[in-house]
Amino acid sequence: MEQGVVEPARQARVAGLCYLLVIAGGLFAEVVVRESLVVPGDAAATARAIAADEALWRWGLAVHLLYLVPGLVMNVLVCGLFRAVEPTLARLALVLSVASVTIEALNLLQLYVPLAMMEEGGALATLGEEQRQALSYLAVRLFPTGFGFALLFFAGFCVLVGALILRSRLVPRLIGLLMILAGVCYAVNTLALVLSPALSDRL
């Protein structure tokens, strides 16, 4: 009996630790790296900044890729904790979370384009420097859009986990309601990104 009580608590602590790693990795990749090197509206300045601090850009890409692992572990543990409440909803939440992480991982290829432009300079000799800079900038600017697509699946995960929390009573109901609200906000933001980018910028 004691083991059954301790095990979920241990899983919850591991899930919490994984989430802290995701937050730390996300802050480094987004704030320390991308916000410091990407110059909004200026492809040439962005290309020069990335070339001047190529190591930082590579670290940002590597850290983002690596923190997807604890992110996935966290999602698996959370779904496992609520599996006994409603197995079907827990499995569906896990599927949505895996889809979200997969899309986010693939989307990171966009951030490698500026590096590929530098590595394959000779092979791309037919493209002028301005064209290479423009293509690199376009790829970098498309990254948030791809991330938004991943968030749409994560939104479903949040809503389902919120519903599981409300059914389980293992966690305060307020947290379940906030999870559902977060999922709805993620979904609305992603749909606005596709249907009305100007509106998405205000959300």
Side-chain angles (χ1 to χ4, degrees), residues 68-87:
L68 293 180
V69 176
L72 187 57
V73 171
M74 177 195 70
N75 295 338
V76 170
L77 291 175
V78 168
C79 293
L81 287 170
F82 294 103
R83 185 174 53 203
V85 178
E86 178 54 63

Side-chain angles (χ1 to χ4, degrees), residues 29-185:
E30 182 62 33
V31 178
V32 176
V33 179
R34 289 193 284 273
E35 286 191 6
S36 66
L37 296 181
V38 176
V39 182
D42 194 330
T46 298
R48 287 194 297 269
I50 294 174
D53 211 339
E54 180 183 342
L56 180 62
W57 187 261
R58 288 183 181 277
W59 270 109
L61 184 56
V63 168
H64 195 144
L65 185 61
L66 288 174
Y67 82 65
L68 293 180
V69 176
L72 187 57
V73 171
M74 177 195 70
N75 295 338
V76 170
L77 291 175
V78 168
C79 293
L81 287 170
F82 294 103
R83 185 174 53 203
V85 178
E86 178 54 63
T88 301
L89 287 184
R91 282 195 292 267
L92 181 56
L94 181 58
V95 169
L96 291 174
S97 72
V98 171
S100 175
V101 171
T102 301
I103 293 171
E104 188 174 347
L106 292 174
N107 188 46
L108 287 173
L109 285 171
Q110 303 275 13
L111 299 181
Y112 199 86
V113 171
L115 300 175
M117 288 293 181
M118 290 186 283
E119 294 168 354
E120 303 294 335
L124 300 173
T126 55
L127 296 176
E129 184 178 2
E130 290 185 0
Q131 290 176 307
R132 292 198 297 272
Q133 291 172 345
L135 288 173
S136 295
Y137 183 76
L138 176 61
V140 170
R141 294 302 295 168
L142 279 176
F143 174 79
T145 303
F147 189 75
F149 293 169
L151 280 182
L152 184 61
F153 289 88
F154 186 69
F157 168 81
C158 291
V159 170
L160 291 178
V161 169
L164 288 167
I165 290 174
L166 293 179
R167 290 192 179 194
S168 70
R169 305 296 180 92
L170 297 174
V171 180
R173 291 174 61 84
L174 177 61
I175 295 178
L177 292 173
L178 290 175
M179 285 291 292
I180 293 173
L181 178 61
V184 171
C185 290

